[in-house]
Amino acid sequence: MNRLTYTRVWRHSCFVLLVLSLLLPAELLSAGAVSPEYKLKAALIYKLTKFVEWPRNSRERKQFGICILGRDDFGSALNALEARQVGNQPIHIQRFAQSEAVNSSCQILFISESKRPFLKTILHSLAPLPILTIGDMGEFAEMGGMIELTRGHKRIGFRINLQQADRAGLKIAAPLLDLATIVETIQP
């Protein structure tokens, strides 16, 4: 590699790191023993709040609930979001082991892979509620989840089930839809 190429690679790397650091909340960059993948997913969950509109009664609550159902791979990365707000609502993180405990204080519910055997039942029970369901298991969106985080080559993508979001009264902004693959629920 000659000096000119090395300089270009170095500048490009610095630019990419600068852009990434501006996109991620500072608290997440310092979160402890959490995989980089889940630090990024925690940051994405926060960023998604800027592209989704909840019904008025959800926006008038004292707190904005971000909840996890099942195994928690986010650890402290998600806790760091409690220093932030969505609109004028401070974020409150809740974790649930059982779906029956999930309540309407959640505006976002991340459903972990550990709940896959019960996923259809869980999503069916949540369908009428204005809760944005997010998961990273394969076919999450086709099974009735709203946003599936997918892994590509060094990036995370989105699969969105717009039909499910509409049923819950959630509006997803066009810029997010432009970045996503739109899917529909597969009927058994």
Side-chain angles (χ1 to χ4, degrees):
M1 184 181 306
N2 67 31
R3 184 174 174 87
L4 183 58
T5 303
Y6 178 78
T7 302
R8 285 183 181 159
V9 169
W10 174 251
R11 284 184 185 162
H12 179 72
S13 298
C14 289
F15 177 75
V16 169
L17 288 173
L18 176 64
V19 169
L20 286 174
S21 68
L22 293 173
L23 292 175
L24 294 174
E27 302 87 11
L28 295 180
L29 293 174
S30 63
V34 177
S35 74
E37 177 184 346
Y38 277 89
K39 286 182 183 176
L40 181 57
K41 287 179 179 176
L44 286 173
I45 288 172
Y46 175 71
K47 293 294 181 187
L48 288 173
T49 65
K50 302 187 182 313
F51 296 96
V52 177
E53 183 180 325
W54 280 263
R56 177 180 288 255
N57 61 351
S58 291
R59 290 178 281 157
E60 293 174 346
R61 295 182 185 151
K62 290 183 179 178
Q63 297 179 321
F64 187 92
I66 297 178
C67 305
I68 302 172
L69 175 61
R71 187 185 67 234
D72 179 9
D73 293 316
F74 291 97
S76 61
L78 210 53
N79 293 345
L81 295 179
E82 287 192 313
R84 299 190 158 259
Q85 293 188 328
V86 175
N88 60 357
Q89 299 171 295
I91 292 175
H92 179 63
I93 306 297
Q94 298 180 76
R95 292 168 169 86
F96 299 99
Q98 301 295 321
S99 62
E100 296 81 14
V102 173
N103 56 52
S104 61
S105 66
C106 301
Q107 276 97 345
I108 292 178
L109 178 66
F110 183 91
I111 303 173
S112 78
E113 174 78 30
S114 67
K115 292 297 177 182
R116 179 183 278 280
F118 316 103
L119 187 60
K120 285 201 174 208
T121 304
I122 294 167
L123 292 172
H124 180 73
S125 68
L126 297 173
L129 301 175
I131 298 174
L132 180 70
T133 55
I134 302 174
D136 60 0
M137 63 185 93
E139 300 179 352
F140 179 79
E142 286 89 347
M143 294 192 323
M146 294 176 197
I147 297 181
E148 177 182 329
L149 304 177
T150 61
R151 280 178 263 167
H153 181 67
K154 296 184 178 181
R155 67 183 191 100
I156 294 177
F158 306 100
R159 296 170 57 87
I160 295 178
N161 187 327
L162 197 52
Q163 182 183 43
Q164 290 301 118
D166 287 344
R167 281 190 188 137
L170 304 178
K171 295 179 182 165
I172 299 177
L176 181 59
L177 295 174
D178 289 344
L179 296 173
T181 301
I182 307 300
V183 300
E184 294 183 0
T185 304
I186 296 174
Q187 301 301 325

